[in-house]
mmCIF file of all heavy atoms in Angstrom:
data_model
loop_
_atom_site.group_PDB
_atom_site.id
_atom_site.type_symbol
_atom_site.label_atom_id
_atom_site.label_comp_id
_atom_site.label_asym_id
_atom_site.label_seq_id
_atom_site.Cartn_x
_atom_site.Cartn_y
_atom_site.Cartn_z
ATOM 1 N N ILE A 1 32.231 -42.381 -18.360
ATOM 2 C CA ILE A 1 32.594 -41.741 -17.139
ATOM 3 C C ILE A 1 32.928 -42.836 -16.086
ATOM 4 O O ILE A 1 33.977 -42.793 -15.371
ATOM 5 C CB ILE A 1 31.591 -40.830 -16.555
ATOM 6 C CG1 ILE A 1 31.461 -39.454 -17.507
ATOM 7 C CG2 ILE A 1 31.832 -40.432 -15.186
ATOM 8 C CD1 ILE A 1 30.239 -38.662 -17.224
ATOM 9 N N GLY A 2 32.141 -43.796 -16.070
ATOM 10 C CA GLY A 2 32.266 -44.945 -15.175
ATOM 11 C C GLY A 2 33.693 -45.712 -15.521
ATOM 12 O O GLY A 2 34.433 -45.985 -14.511
ATOM 13 N N LEU A 3 33.893 -45.969 -16.699
ATOM 14 C CA LEU A 3 35.150 -46.562 -17.149
ATOM 15 C C LEU A 3 36.401 -45.832 -16.741
ATOM 16 O O LEU A 3 37.300 -46.373 -16.306
ATOM 17 C CB LEU A 3 35.107 -46.954 -18.640
ATOM 18 C CG LEU A 3 34.559 -48.126 -19.087
ATOM 19 C CD1 LEU A 3 34.365 -48.154 -20.582
ATOM 20 C CD2 LEU A 3 35.494 -49.302 -18.720
ATOM 21 N N ARG A 4 36.273 -44.548 -16.945
ATOM 22 C CA ARG A 4 37.467 -43.684 -16.685
ATOM 23 C C ARG A 4 37.755 -43.713 -15.283
ATOM 24 O O ARG A 4 38.827 -43.607 -14.723
ATOM 25 C CB ARG A 4 37.269 -42.265 -17.291
ATOM 26 C CG ARG A 4 37.243 -42.327 -18.851
ATOM 27 C CD ARG A 4 37.187 -40.911 -19.488
ATOM 28 N NE ARG A 4 37.153 -40.991 -20.912
ATOM 29 C CZ ARG A 4 36.096 -40.677 -21.639
ATOM 30 N NH1 ARG A 4 34.993 -40.106 -21.144
ATOM 31 N NH2 ARG A 4 36.238 -40.692 -23.004
ATOM 32 N N ARG A 5 36.655 -43.564 -14.485
ATOM 33 C CA ARG A 5 36.741 -43.653 -12.908
ATOM 34 C C ARG A 5 37.560 -44.926 -12.530
ATOM 35 O O ARG A 5 38.469 -44.982 -11.649
ATOM 36 C CB ARG A 5 35.510 -43.572 -12.300
ATOM 37 C CG ARG A 5 34.972 -42.140 -12.282
ATOM 38 C CD ARG A 5 33.507 -42.161 -11.739
ATOM 39 N NE ARG A 5 33.086 -40.778 -11.628
ATOM 40 C CZ ARG A 5 31.722 -40.464 -11.577
ATOM 41 N NH1 ARG A 5 30.824 -41.431 -11.700
ATOM 42 N NH2 ARG A 5 31.336 -39.082 -11.535
ATOM 43 N N LEU A 6 37.038 -46.099 -13.021
ATOM 44 C CA LEU A 6 37.781 -47.306 -12.737
ATOM 45 C C LEU A 6 39.241 -47.352 -13.092
ATOM 46 O O LEU A 6 40.172 -47.775 -12.270
ATOM 47 C CB LEU A 6 37.170 -48.507 -13.585
ATOM 48 C CG LEU A 6 35.809 -49.034 -12.953
ATOM 49 C CD1 LEU A 6 35.173 -49.997 -14.002
ATOM 50 C CD2 LEU A 6 36.001 -49.775 -11.632
ATOM 51 N N GLN A 7 39.553 -46.874 -14.380
ATOM 52 C CA GLN A 7 40.915 -46.873 -14.759
ATOM 53 C C GLN A 7 41.725 -45.895 -14.002
ATOM 54 O O GLN A 7 42.911 -46.276 -13.619
ATOM 55 C CB GLN A 7 40.909 -46.594 -16.196
ATOM 56 C CG GLN A 7 40.368 -47.678 -17.136
ATOM 57 C CD GLN A 7 40.058 -47.214 -18.463
ATOM 58 O OE1 GLN A 7 39.602 -46.100 -18.731
ATOM 59 N NE2 GLN A 7 40.285 -48.064 -19.408
ATOM 60 N N ALA A 8 41.176 -44.774 -13.582
ATOM 61 C CA ALA A 8 42.001 -43.756 -12.865
ATOM 62 C C ALA A 8 42.275 -44.332 -11.363
ATOM 63 O O ALA A 8 43.331 -44.303 -10.870
ATOM 64 C CB ALA A 8 41.194 -42.453 -12.757
ATOM 65 N N ALA A 9 41.218 -45.002 -10.735
ATOM 66 C CA ALA A 9 41.520 -45.579 -9.455
ATOM 67 C C ALA A 9 42.470 -46.770 -9.481
ATOM 68 O O ALA A 9 43.333 -46.853 -8.583
ATOM 69 C CB ALA A 9 40.100 -46.099 -8.928
ATOM 70 N N ALA A 10 42.449 -47.560 -10.554
ATOM 71 C CA ALA A 10 43.437 -48.549 -10.699
ATOM 72 C C ALA A 10 44.874 -48.063 -10.861
ATOM 73 O O ALA A 10 45.794 -48.487 -10.224
ATOM 74 C CB ALA A 10 43.061 -49.411 -11.906
ATOM 75 N N ARG A 11 45.022 -47.035 -11.613
ATOM 76 C CA ARG A 11 46.346 -46.323 -11.748
ATOM 77 C C ARG A 11 46.813 -45.782 -10.341
ATOM 78 O O ARG A 11 48.006 -46.022 -10.113
ATOM 79 C CB ARG A 11 46.389 -45.210 -12.840
ATOM 80 C CG ARG A 11 46.215 -45.772 -14.240
ATOM 81 C CD ARG A 11 46.483 -44.716 -15.178
ATOM 82 N NE ARG A 11 45.466 -43.665 -15.177
ATOM 83 C CZ ARG A 11 44.419 -43.569 -15.777
ATOM 84 N NH1 ARG A 11 44.183 -44.694 -16.815
ATOM 85 N NH2 ARG A 11 43.512 -42.683 -15.784
ATOM 86 N N ARG A 12 45.973 -45.062 -9.748
ATOM 87 C CA ARG A 12 46.419 -44.511 -8.373
ATOM 88 C C ARG A 12 46.958 -45.490 -7.483
ATOM 89 O O ARG A 12 47.891 -45.294 -6.811
ATOM 90 C CB ARG A 12 45.272 -43.674 -7.888
ATOM 91 C CG ARG A 12 44.984 -42.255 -8.484
ATOM 92 C CD ARG A 12 44.115 -41.525 -7.546
ATOM 93 N NE ARG A 12 42.801 -42.118 -7.375
ATOM 94 C CZ ARG A 12 41.809 -41.892 -8.226
ATOM 95 N NH1 ARG A 12 41.898 -41.081 -9.331
ATOM 96 N NH2 ARG A 12 40.557 -42.483 -7.922
ATOM 97 N N LYS A 13 46.230 -46.749 -7.547
ATOM 98 C CA LYS A 13 46.596 -47.687 -6.509
ATOM 99 C C LYS A 13 47.550 -48.747 -7.053
ATOM 100 O O LYS A 13 47.894 -49.679 -6.385
ATOM 101 C CB LYS A 13 45.311 -48.376 -5.997
ATOM 102 C CG LYS A 13 44.430 -47.472 -5.295
ATOM 103 C CD LYS A 13 43.070 -48.111 -4.901
ATOM 104 C CE LYS A 13 42.194 -47.172 -4.148
ATOM 105 N NZ LYS A 13 42.727 -47.004 -2.825
ATOM 106 N N GLY A 14 47.983 -48.616 -8.268
ATOM 107 C CA GLY A 14 48.934 -49.615 -8.888
ATOM 108 C C GLY A 14 48.250 -50.938 -8.963
ATOM 109 O O GLY A 14 48.803 -52.057 -8.906
ATOM 110 N N SER A 15 46.890 -50.837 -9.235
ATOM 111 C CA SER A 15 46.150 -52.201 -9.263
ATOM 112 C C SER A 15 46.183 -52.910 -10.599
ATOM 113 O O SER A 15 46.138 -52.241 -11.509
ATOM 114 C CB SER A 15 44.663 -51.808 -8.891
ATOM 115 O OG SER A 15 43.778 -52.801 -9.125
ATOM 116 N N PRO A 16 46.141 -54.274 -10.502
ATOM 117 C CA PRO A 16 46.216 -54.969 -11.806
ATOM 118 C C PRO A 16 44.862 -55.187 -12.282
ATOM 119 O O PRO A 16 44.665 -56.038 -13.198
ATOM 120 C CB PRO A 16 46.864 -56.346 -11.388
ATOM 121 C CG PRO A 16 46.333 -56.477 -9.970
ATOM 122 C CD PRO A 16 46.271 -55.104 -9.354
ATOM 123 N N LEU A 17 43.857 -54.374 -12.115
ATOM 124 C CA LEU A 17 42.479 -54.606 -12.498
ATOM 125 C C LEU A 17 42.404 -54.517 -14.092
ATOM 126 O O LEU A 17 42.929 -53.431 -14.683
ATOM 127 C CB LEU A 17 41.572 -53.460 -11.990
ATOM 128 C CG LEU A 17 40.148 -53.492 -12.320
ATOM 129 C CD1 LEU A 17 39.467 -54.947 -11.973
ATOM 130 C CD2 LEU A 17 39.308 -52.313 -11.804
ATOM 131 N N ARG A 18 41.837 -55.450 -14.719
ATOM 132 C CA ARG A 18 41.724 -55.421 -16.187
ATOM 133 C C ARG A 18 40.168 -55.017 -16.601
ATOM 134 O O ARG A 18 39.374 -55.605 -16.000
ATOM 135 C CB ARG A 18 42.030 -56.810 -16.821
ATOM 136 C CG ARG A 18 42.002 -56.781 -18.276
ATOM 137 C CD ARG A 18 42.812 -58.057 -18.730
ATOM 138 N NE ARG A 18 42.114 -59.327 -18.346
ATOM 139 C CZ ARG A 18 41.191 -59.998 -19.143
ATOM 140 N NH1 ARG A 18 40.865 -59.453 -20.378
ATOM 141 N NH2 ARG A 18 40.698 -61.058 -18.774
ATOM 142 N N VAL A 19 40.197 -54.060 -17.377
ATOM 143 C CA VAL A 19 38.850 -53.550 -17.933
ATOM 144 C C VAL A 19 38.737 -53.806 -19.378
ATOM 145 O O VAL A 19 39.625 -53.482 -20.202
ATOM 146 C CB VAL A 19 38.675 -52.139 -17.487
ATOM 147 C CG1 VAL A 19 37.241 -51.721 -17.985
ATOM 148 C CG2 VAL A 19 38.720 -51.827 -16.030
ATOM 149 N N SER A 20 37.686 -54.558 -19.778
ATOM 150 C CA SER A 20 37.433 -54.637 -21.184
ATOM 151 C C SER A 20 36.072 -54.275 -21.641
ATOM 152 O O SER A 20 35.157 -54.166 -20.835
ATOM 153 C CB SER A 20 37.756 -56.084 -21.669
ATOM 154 O OG SER A 20 36.744 -57.049 -21.131
ATOM 155 N N ILE A 21 35.827 -54.090 -23.076
ATOM 156 C CA ILE A 21 34.476 -53.856 -23.451
ATOM 157 C C ILE A 21 34.061 -55.075 -24.309
ATOM 158 O O ILE A 21 34.916 -55.697 -24.792
ATOM 159 C CB ILE A 21 34.500 -52.586 -24.224
ATOM 160 C CG1 ILE A 21 35.323 -52.516 -25.439
ATOM 161 C CG2 ILE A 21 34.662 -51.268 -23.427
ATOM 162 C CD1 ILE A 21 35.138 -51.386 -26.351
ATOM 163 N N ASN A 22 32.733 -55.324 -24.137
ATOM 164 C CA ASN A 22 32.138 -56.540 -24.741
ATOM 165 C C ASN A 22 31.056 -56.124 -25.734
ATOM 166 O O ASN A 22 30.157 -55.182 -25.206
ATOM 167 C CB ASN A 22 31.738 -57.414 -23.642
ATOM 168 C CG ASN A 22 31.187 -58.783 -24.132
ATOM 169 O OD1 ASN A 22 32.061 -59.405 -24.530
ATOM 170 N ND2 ASN A 22 29.903 -59.052 -24.142
ATOM 171 N N THR A 23 30.929 -56.622 -26.800
ATOM 172 C CA THR A 23 29.918 -56.304 -27.861
ATOM 173 C C THR A 23 29.471 -57.605 -28.432
ATOM 174 O O THR A 23 29.951 -58.601 -28.308
ATOM 175 C CB THR A 23 30.461 -55.261 -28.922
ATOM 176 O OG1 THR A 23 29.330 -54.694 -29.653
ATOM 177 C CG2 THR A 23 31.396 -55.967 -29.930
ATOM 178 N N THR A 24 28.420 -57.418 -29.269
ATOM 179 C CA THR A 24 27.743 -58.677 -29.788
ATOM 180 C C THR A 24 27.376 -58.347 -31.272
ATOM 181 O O THR A 24 27.025 -57.225 -31.583
ATOM 182 C CB THR A 24 26.272 -58.892 -29.036
ATOM 183 O OG1 THR A 24 26.660 -59.190 -27.696
ATOM 184 C CG2 THR A 24 25.588 -60.106 -29.660
ATOM 185 N N VAL A 25 27.538 -59.368 -32.077
ATOM 186 C CA VAL A 25 27.088 -59.377 -33.572
ATOM 187 C C VAL A 25 25.579 -59.106 -33.445
ATOM 188 O O VAL A 25 24.827 -59.949 -32.906
ATOM 189 C CB VAL A 25 27.420 -60.674 -34.283
ATOM 190 C CG1 VAL A 25 26.812 -60.628 -35.564
ATOM 191 C CG2 VAL A 25 29.052 -60.760 -34.426
ATOM 192 N N ALA A 26 25.050 -58.179 -34.063
ATOM 193 C CA ALA A 26 23.580 -57.961 -34.189
ATOM 194 C C ALA A 26 23.252 -57.191 -35.405
ATOM 195 O O ALA A 26 24.145 -56.356 -35.937
ATOM 196 C CB ALA A 26 23.149 -57.061 -32.932
ATOM 197 N N ALA A 27 22.087 -57.442 -35.964
ATOM 198 C CA ALA A 27 21.714 -56.839 -37.190
ATOM 199 C C ALA A 27 21.780 -55.281 -37.147
ATOM 200 O O ALA A 27 22.204 -54.541 -38.134
ATOM 201 C CB ALA A 27 20.356 -57.226 -37.689
ATOM 202 N N GLU A 28 21.390 -54.697 -36.025
ATOM 203 C CA GLU A 28 21.360 -53.225 -35.865
ATOM 204 C C GLU A 28 22.654 -52.537 -35.905
ATOM 205 O O GLU A 28 22.770 -51.318 -36.238
ATOM 206 C CB GLU A 28 20.545 -52.811 -34.609
ATOM 207 C CG GLU A 28 19.022 -53.311 -34.530
ATOM 208 C CD GLU A 28 18.895 -54.807 -34.264
ATOM 209 O OE1 GLU A 28 19.932 -55.508 -34.010
ATOM 210 O OE2 GLU A 28 17.710 -55.296 -34.256
ATOM 211 N N SER A 29 23.660 -53.294 -35.473
ATOM 212 C CA SER A 29 24.924 -52.569 -35.302
ATOM 213 C C SER A 29 26.212 -53.261 -36.041
ATOM 214 O O SER A 29 27.312 -52.721 -35.979
ATOM 215 C CB SER A 29 25.418 -52.734 -33.763
ATOM 216 O OG SER A 29 25.440 -54.086 -33.297
ATOM 217 N N LEU A 30 25.730 -54.329 -36.983
ATOM 218 C CA LEU A 30 26.902 -54.971 -37.608
ATOM 219 C C LEU A 30 27.691 -54.104 -38.438
ATOM 220 O O LEU A 30 28.969 -54.158 -38.382
ATOM 221 C CB LEU A 30 26.238 -56.122 -38.447
ATOM 222 C CG LEU A 30 27.187 -56.973 -39.166
ATOM 223 C CD1 LEU A 30 28.099 -57.745 -38.070
ATOM 224 C CD2 LEU A 30 26.418 -58.002 -39.918
ATOM 225 N N GLU A 31 27.251 -53.142 -39.144
ATOM 226 C CA GLU A 31 27.922 -52.406 -40.149
ATOM 227 C C GLU A 31 28.810 -51.432 -39.371
ATOM 228 O O GLU A 31 29.868 -50.932 -40.056
ATOM 229 C CB GLU A 31 27.126 -51.533 -41.030
ATOM 230 C CG GLU A 31 26.216 -52.407 -42.103
ATOM 231 C CD GLU A 31 27.042 -53.279 -42.920
ATOM 232 O OE1 GLU A 31 28.126 -52.775 -43.384
ATOM 233 O OE2 GLU A 31 26.873 -54.469 -42.968
ATOM 234 N N ALA A 32 28.563 -51.151 -38.103
ATOM 235 C CA ALA A 32 29.561 -50.322 -37.252
ATOM 236 C C ALA A 32 30.375 -51.107 -36.507
ATOM 237 O O ALA A 32 31.144 -50.498 -35.492
ATOM 238 C CB ALA A 32 28.543 -49.293 -36.416
#
């Protein structure tokens, strides 16, 4: 929800804001 709010606000204002997601190699999530 927070991400979509950021992107919607950036589109309304024509803002060049870049949003990315960050993840980490970890045993618990590696297969996914």
Side-chain angles (χ1 to χ4, degrees):
I1 291 170
L3 266 171
R4 292 183 181 116
R5 283 173 176 160
L6 279 172
Q7 292 164 320
R11 284 194 298 269
R12 283 194 299 272
K13 296 175 178 291
S15 167
L17 180 63
R18 184 163 65 93
V19 181
S20 68
I21 57 176
N22 190 68
T23 194
T24 301
V25 169
E28 296 80 2
S29 58
L30 185 59
E31 293 304 315

